Amino acid sequence: GTIDVTGATVTGLSAGKVLQVTEGSTSTPVTNNTTTYVDTGLTASLTTTADNSKVLVIVNQNGLLFLSTSSFTHAVTLTLDEDAGTDRTSFNYLGYGIGAAGYATDARNMTLSFHYLTAAVTSASTTKTFKTKFKKTTASPSCTGAWQYTGPSTMILMEIAA
């Protein structure tokens, strides 16, 4: 059945309520064939409006994996940087890998979609900036990761009340 809630007002709810939503997106292609993290160009920021809220991050990153050596498994790692302003070069807590096996000069579509819920942000008016970075997982074999070649990548941030 269907419940008609037209004109209804929900009160008494506070925890888990979505307080705001922001989005970042990019269509600019970025490539990397090194084992050093490189910015994908996908970034989003949110300034919290309440004490002890959390931020839910939803990422959809599109790209290609170019293979340049036959019969090897190739991989890239995509990492979410929670405090993007610090430009850290290593990340220990969140990384997603994708791999492909194929022949020389192959290109494989890849889409990584994931979500991440931050710890509570102690005070309101705290700006949280997120971005994704990527690198080749190992120095050999040869491969190149290329993001935004198969369409735009997006990041949605939602502030969730404590």
Side-chain angles (χ1 to χ4, degrees):
T2 302
I3 299 172
D4 184 3
V5 293
T6 305
T9 301
V10 178
T11 60
L13 298 178
S14 58
K17 184 163 120 182
V18 175
L19 302 176
Q20 66 172 310
V21 178
T22 63
E23 179 188 23
S25 67
T26 184
S27 296
T28 304
V30 177
T31 61
N32 183 19
N33 65 357
T34 72
T35 57
T36 301
Y37 277 105
V38 171
D39 192 343
T40 68
L42 180 60
T43 186
S45 294
L46 179 146
T47 301
T48 57
T49 60
D51 293 343
N52 299 312
S53 60
K54 296 181 180 184
V55 179
L56 176 61
V57 182
I58 302 170
V59 173
N60 186 53
Q61 192 99 39
N62 292 303
L64 290 173
L65 182 61
F66 295 104
L67 312 178
S68 55
T69 306
S70 62
S71 301
F72 285 100
T73 299
H74 307 273
V76 294
T77 300
L78 180 73
T79 302
L80 179 69
D81 186 354
E82 183 173 344
D83 295 304
T86 62
D87 275 333
R88 294 177 294 167
T89 56
S90 64
F91 313 92
N92 297 320
Y93 65 95
L94 187 62
Y96 295 89
I98 190 165
Y103 299 99
T105 66
D106 242 353
R108 304 293 175 131
N109 287 329
M110 57 182 176
T111 299
L112 287 176
S113 297
F114 60 91
H115 63 276
Y116 172 68
L117 183 63
T118 68
V121 179
T122 307
S123 59
S125 301
T126 300
T127 300
K128 299 294 285 181
T129 301
F130 301 85
K131 65 179 168 180
T132 55
K133 293 183 176 187
F134 74 112
K135 69 176 183 175
K136 187 168 62 167
T137 304
T138 58
S140 179
S142 180
C143 70
T144 300
W147 298 102
Q148 289 82 242
Y149 272 78
T150 57
S153 295
T154 58
M155 182 183 301
I156 297 169
L157 305 180
M158 295 184 205
E159 182 182 5
I160 310 297

